[in-house]
């Protein structure tokens, strides 16, 4: 009895594997229908935008995107290159936006003199913008835009 159950189980696994491989052509892969024994030429890496133009966010609470190159920026326990422009003390000179005041708060909401250790490694949340087309359509509208549209609609109704 036990052997017949194991045989039945093995046959069902074999049949499901065969069925899966017969439908493999329908499954999208990262190889784009390139056979497994062929090495595909990788696509070129997109360039990082270096325009210093602030981009609109793609979803609520998205950390701002870095609008410039950051290759070879040193960010470790001793040095944070980002803060050479974005710290409170340097924004007048650099004309870069200051990091959010939330970066100067500890987990209990107390304000600190320096950037909080939990917010020190910028590239954990912030990434450079690449010069590419979006992979999917995004219909997100930020709160500021919604509020402006509402104010304009209210103004138009009054007139």
């Amino acid at each position: 009895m036990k052997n017949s159950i194991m045989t039945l189980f093995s046959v069902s696994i074999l049949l499901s594997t065969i069925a899966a491989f017969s439908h493999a052509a329908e499954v999208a892969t990262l190889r784009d229908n390139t056979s497994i024994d062929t090495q595909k030429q990788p696509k070129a890496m997109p360039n990082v935008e270096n325009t210093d133009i602030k981009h609109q966010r793609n979803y609520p609470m998205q950390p701002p995107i870095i609008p410039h190159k950051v290759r070879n920026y040193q960010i470790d326990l001793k040095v944070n290159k980002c803060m050479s422009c974005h710290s409170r003390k340097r924004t007048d000179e650099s004309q870069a936006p200051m990091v959010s005041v939330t970066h100067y708060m500890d987990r209990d909401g107390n304000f600190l003199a320096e950037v909080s250790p939990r917010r020190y490694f910028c590239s954990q949340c912030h990434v450079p913008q690449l010069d590419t087309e979006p992979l999917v359509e995004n219909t997100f509208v930020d709160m500021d835009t919604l509020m402006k549209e509402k104010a304009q609609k209210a103004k138009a109704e009054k007139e």
Side-chain angles (χ1 to χ4, degrees):
M1 175 85 170
K2 191 174 187 180
N3 285 342
S4 63
I5 291 174
M6 289 302 288
T7 304
L8 184 60
F9 181 69
S10 298
V11 169
S12 67
I13 289 176
L14 180 64
L15 290 175
S16 63
T17 304
I18 291 170
F21 279 110
S22 68
H23 291 36
E26 299 172 15
V27 178
T29 68
L30 296 175
R31 296 186 61 81
D32 292 331
N33 297 324
T34 303
S35 65
I36 196 74
D37 60 343
T38 304
Q39 181 64 40
K40 185 177 167 183
Q41 184 68 26
K43 294 179 182 175
M45 294 284 291
N47 292 325
V48 173
E49 282 190 7
N50 200 29
T51 59
D52 282 340
I53 296 172
K54 187 176 178 180
H55 289 272
Q56 184 176 1
R57 297 180 191 211
N58 294 309
Y59 56 89
M61 303 304 289
Q62 175 190 357
I65 294 173
I66 303 169
H68 57 80
K69 294 180 181 180
V70 292
R71 188 175 194 100
N72 298 324
Y73 271 34
Q74 183 177 352
I75 303 175
D76 56 35
L77 291 174
K78 298 183 189 289
V79 177
N80 183 328
K81 172 70 172 147
C82 301
M83 297 309 288
S84 64
C85 294
H86 294 278
S87 70
R88 286 190 283 206
K89 300 170 189 160
R90 302 295 304 268
T91 55
D92 286 346
E93 183 181 326
S94 68
Q95 294 299 299
M98 184 185 89
V99 295
S100 169
V101 293
T102 60
H103 289 56
Y104 289 90
M105 294 169 61
D106 66 10
R107 68 177 66 177
D108 299 321
N110 302 316
F111 283 95
L112 308 170
E114 296 295 324
V115 171
S116 171
R118 66 190 187 119
R119 298 291 189 102
Y120 184 80
F121 295 99
C122 310
S123 56
Q124 278 185 284
C125 300
H126 304 278
V127 295
Q129 174 67 44
L130 299 178
D131 186 17
T132 61
E133 292 296 318
L135 296 174
V136 295
E137 181 184 359
N138 186 352
T139 59
F140 170 73
V141 179
D142 67 355
M143 184 56 73
D144 293 335
T145 304
L146 289 174
M147 295 302 290
K148 285 178 187 174
E149 289 173 0
K150 184 178 179 181
Q152 288 173 348
K153 192 180 279 186
K155 185 179 177 181
E157 289 175 0
K158 284 184 179 180
E159 293 176 355

